[in-house]
């Protein structure tokens, strides 16, 4: 493990987009915060607005009542004596005025009140309008009050409420408009402000999505302002440091275990192989195969402990038939087909390890009586190895997880497929898996396709490339 800390850019997965994932607006923290503050503002605005509106309307009513009372007092003072005529010397205030006797009958009305053609005011008739409260004259809202007149009985005075009703209606509409517009404006403002305030958290999430745990765990950049986002990212960074330290300890422990097992297994494998050749004992030969299986498992564990970045390929140009002979010795009973007459530019040990893992896995699933085949197809760009078996096929619920370390559908270590894909990717190719179907459309077994770049060379590139390639097994 290098002592120097890799840069942030070197720890990110190549080709990953900056905005790799987006949250739906209705699920985003920004929208929930804006909505919460908008609803809170709506409640506060409603309570304060209702209070202010109620106060203003109350003040308007009190002012109108005061004005009406002043009018009534002025009229009562003017007609406190019979010497004054009802149509003379009234204060210059609009409104209706009437003089009533003690029984509520009409003694006289003002000229403005006589304009109501629906009423005929004759002396001695009962007064048609209420002496207190609100009513309508000619579709105009009015409010009336009375004052005692010793020589007559009662002075009745009414004023129009038109201005008061208009003011009350305007205040109510303004309140309703504020309750509708204010939350929408606050929601929009909260969304825009939240976008700005949470931008650092969103960028940190994008960077976190691009970190490749298989290479290294990069700490996230911290914002300059030490707010809650800074505190969250700092806690994530401390967690990443602890995770990376734990992974390092696990790899070191795994490497030590594999190292301790490697030498005894190599000796055991060689001893059992020689014993099997001398005695032809099936049990000894079976034990030799088990030792061989354990040897490859330790190789897979060693590769897992070292990690992909620390592995180096040793390139050689070998005949394809040499690779086939190696695989035939390691996994007996495999049917090889296709064109094996060409050459392969690869790391022979690593490619053998990858294909051997696929064939051994296929044999394990197909059983001793099942069939396992390996087909090689070549194009100018790619070499394609197709491994098929007659087993039950891949579990559909695993999907791509079948290539994760320690994931297995058959009780094995679960390292073979992961290592094989890693080797294929290091060669510039890939490994995919699935199921092949029989003529009836039923699953007939598992199928793995491993591809590596072909070894076709252009005329201008032959000399330059072959200088770095060592032929093996020719």
């Amino acid at each position: 493990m290098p002592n120097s800390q890799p840069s942030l850019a070197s720890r990110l997965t190549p080709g990953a987009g900056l905005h790799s994932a987006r949250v739906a607006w209705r699920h985003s923290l920004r929208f929930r915060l804006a909505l919460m503050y908008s609803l809170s503002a709506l409640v506060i605005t409603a309570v304060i607005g209702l209070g202010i509106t109620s106060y203003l309307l109350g003040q308007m009513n009190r002012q109108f009542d005061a004005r009406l009372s002043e009018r009534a007092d002025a009229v009562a003072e003017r007609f406190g004596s019979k010497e004054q005529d009802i149509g003379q010397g009234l204060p210059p205030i609009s409104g209706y005025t009437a003089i009533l006797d003690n029984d509520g009958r009409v003694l006289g009305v003002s000229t403005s009140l006589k304009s109501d053609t629906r009423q005929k005011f004759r002396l001695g008739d009962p007064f048609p309008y209420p002496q207190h409260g609100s009513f309508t004259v000619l579709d105009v809202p009015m409010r009336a009050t009375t004052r005692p007149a010793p020589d007559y009985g009662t002075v009745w005075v009414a004023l129009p409420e038109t201005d008061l009703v208009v003011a009350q209606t305007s205040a109510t509409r303004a309140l309703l408009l504020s309750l509708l517009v204010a939350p929408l404006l606050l929601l929009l403002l909260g969304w825009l402000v939240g976008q700005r305030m949470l931008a650092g958290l969103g960028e940190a999430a994008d960077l976190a999505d691009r970190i490749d745990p298989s290479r290294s765990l990069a700490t996230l950049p911290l914002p300059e302002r030490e707010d809650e986002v800074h505190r969250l990212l700092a806690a994530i960074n401390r967690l990443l440091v602890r995770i990376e330290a734990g992974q390092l300890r696990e790899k070191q422990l795994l490497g030590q275990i594999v190292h301790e097992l490697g030498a005894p297994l190599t000796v055991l494998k060689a001893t059992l192989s020689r014993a099997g050749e001398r005695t032809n004992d099936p049990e000894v030969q079976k034990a030799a195969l088990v030792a061989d299986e354990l040897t490859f498992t330790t190789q897979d564990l060693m590769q897992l402990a070292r990690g992909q970045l620390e592995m180096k390929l040793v390139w050689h140009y070998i005949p394809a038939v040499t690779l086939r002979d190696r695989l035939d010795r390691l996994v007996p009973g495999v049917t090889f087909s296709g064109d094996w007459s060409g050459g392969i530019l690869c790391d022979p040990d690593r490619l053998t390890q990858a294909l051997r893992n696929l064939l051994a896995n296929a044999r394990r699933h197909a059983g001793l009586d099942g069939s396992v085949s390996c087909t090689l197809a070549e194009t100018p760009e790619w070499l394609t190895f197709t491994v098929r078996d007659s087993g039950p096929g891949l579990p559909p619920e695993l999907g791509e997880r079948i290539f994760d370390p320690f994931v297995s559908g058959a009780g094995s270590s679960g390292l073979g497929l992961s290592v094989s894909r890693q080797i294929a990717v290091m060669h510039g190719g890939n490994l995919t898996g699935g199921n092949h179907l029989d003529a009836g459309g039923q699953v007939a077994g598992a199928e793995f396709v491993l591809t590596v770049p072909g070894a076709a060379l252009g005329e201008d590139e032959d000399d330059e490339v072959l200088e770095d390639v060592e032929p093996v097994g020719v």
Side-chain angles (χ1 to χ4, degrees), residues 29 197-202 204 221-223 225-236:
L29 175 62
M197 299 303 295
L198 298 178
L201 186 59
L222 299 178
R225 180 180 299 176
E226 296 186 2
D227 53 7
E228 287 80 0
V229 175
H230 183 284
R231 181 181 176 186
L232 174 62
L233 296 181
I236 293 176

Side-chain angles (χ1 to χ4, degrees), residues 33 78 119 125 134 147 159 163 189 191-192 232 242 279 286 290 309 314 327 336 374 390 394-395 405 422 448 461:
L33 289 175
R78 186 66 176 173
Q119 300 290 340
D125 289 346
S134 300
R147 290 291 185 274
L159 291 177
D163 294 339
L189 181 62
W191 177 266
L192 297 176
L232 174 62
R242 293 195 296 270
T279 62
K286 183 178 179 179
V290 172
L309 291 179
V314 181
L327 296 173
F336 293 92
C374 180
S390 58
L394 297 178
Q422 191 179 59
F448 290 91
E461 299 174 348

Side-chain angles (χ1 to χ4, degrees), residues 64 96 133-144 158-166:
F64 186 87
Y96 295 163
S134 300
F135 60 97
T136 302
V137 176
L138 298 176
D139 297 327
V140 176
M142 306 289 291
R143 185 181 301 182
L159 291 177
E161 292 184 314
T162 305
D163 294 339
L164 177 62
V165 171
V166 171

Side-chain angles (χ1 to χ4, degrees), residues 290-311:
V290 172
D292 184 58
E293 179 80 18
L294 290 175
T295 301
F296 274 95
T297 301
T298 57
Q299 292 178 359
D300 294 341
L301 288 172
M302 180 60 73
Q303 180 165 340
L304 180 66
R306 290 176 177 174
Q308 180 177 352
L309 291 179
E310 296 183 9
M311 290 189 59

Side-chain angles (χ1 to χ4, degrees), residues 33-368:
L33 289 175
L35 181 61
M36 181 186 67
Y37 283 113
S38 298
L39 293 177
S40 301
L42 175 61
V43 174
I44 295 174
T45 303
V47 172
I48 296 177
L50 287 174
I52 294 177
T53 303
S54 299
Y55 175 77
L56 292 176
L57 295 180
Q59 287 293 102
M60 292 178 184
N61 278 311
R62 284 189 288 272
Q63 290 178 3
F64 186 87
D65 289 337
R67 179 187 174 194
L68 181 61
S69 297
E70 291 176 359
R71 167 74 177 183
D73 292 339
V75 173
E77 182 181 357
R78 186 66 176 173
F79 293 97
S81 173
K82 288 185 177 182
E83 297 177 356
Q84 300 291 339
D85 184 52
I86 192 169
Q88 298 177 357
L90 288 176
I93 303 176
S94 62
Y96 295 163
T97 306
I99 303 299
L100 309 176
D101 62 14
N102 293 328
D103 295 329
R105 298 179 181 276
V106 176
L107 296 178
V109 296
S110 63
T111 305
S112 58
L113 191 59
K114 292 179 181 180
S115 62
D116 186 357
T117 58
R118 292 172 300 180
Q119 300 290 340
K120 300 297 182 180
F121 295 98
R122 291 178 297 187
L123 297 179
D125 289 346
F127 189 66
Y129 297 117
Q131 296 188 14
H132 294 276
S134 300
F135 60 97
T136 302
V137 176
L138 298 176
D139 297 327
V140 176
M142 306 289 291
R143 185 181 301 182
T145 187
T146 60
R147 290 291 185 274
D151 293 343
Y152 295 97
T154 303
V155 174
W156 178 88
V157 177
L159 291 177
E161 292 184 314
T162 305
D163 294 339
L164 177 62
V165 171
V166 171
Q168 291 176 339
T169 303
S170 300
T172 304
R173 289 179 178 175
L175 175 62
L176 294 177
L177 183 62
S178 66
L179 294 179
L180 291 176
V181 175
L184 296 178
L185 293 178
L186 288 173
L187 181 61
L188 178 60
L189 181 62
W191 177 266
L192 297 176
V193 173
Q195 182 178 12
R196 179 178 179 85
M197 299 303 295
L198 298 178
L201 186 59
E203 293 175 358
D206 292 331
L207 290 176
D209 283 339
R210 294 171 57 188
I211 294 177
D212 184 2
S214 65
R215 301 176 64 189
S216 184
L217 295 175
T219 54
L220 303 176
L222 299 178
E224 296 181 358
R225 180 180 299 176
E226 296 186 2
D227 53 7
E228 287 80 0
V229 175
H230 183 284
R231 181 181 176 186
L232 174 62
L233 296 181
I236 293 176
N237 285 342
R238 291 192 294 270
L239 177 61
L240 291 176
V241 171
R242 293 195 296 270
I243 291 175
E244 189 169 23
Q247 289 181 345
L248 178 59
R249 289 193 297 269
E250 290 175 359
K251 288 184 178 181
Q252 291 174 343
L253 178 60
L254 185 58
Q256 293 173 357
I257 293 174
V258 171
H259 179 74
E260 295 296 329
L261 291 177
L265 282 176
T266 302
V267 175
L268 179 61
K269 175 184 175 182
T271 302
L272 290 174
S273 297
R274 289 194 299 268
E277 293 174 358
R278 289 197 307 268
T279 62
N280 289 326
D281 187 342
E283 295 297 329
V284 176
Q285 293 176 349
K286 183 178 179 179
L289 292 176
V290 172
D292 184 58
E293 179 80 18
L294 290 175
T295 301
F296 274 95
T297 301
T298 57
Q299 292 178 359
D300 294 341
L301 288 172
M302 180 60 73
Q303 180 165 340
L304 180 66
R306 290 176 177 174
Q308 180 177 352
L309 291 179
E310 296 183 9
M311 290 189 59
K312 303 297 182 183
L313 295 183
V314 181
W315 295 92
H316 297 282
Y317 185 77
I318 65 171
V321 67
T322 301
L323 178 64
R324 184 190 64 186
D325 292 341
R326 286 187 177 185
L327 296 173
D328 191 31
R329 290 193 302 270
L330 293 171
V331 187
V334 176
T335 301
F336 293 92
S337 59
D339 184 10
W340 295 81
S341 60
I344 305 175
L345 182 62
C346 64
D347 183 323
D349 293 334
R350 297 301 180 190
L351 187 58
T352 299
Q353 181 183 2
L355 291 172
R356 182 263 169 202
N357 287 342
L358 297 178
L359 295 173
N361 190 60
R363 172 55 63 196
R364 186 183 303 110
H365 285 76
L368 296 178

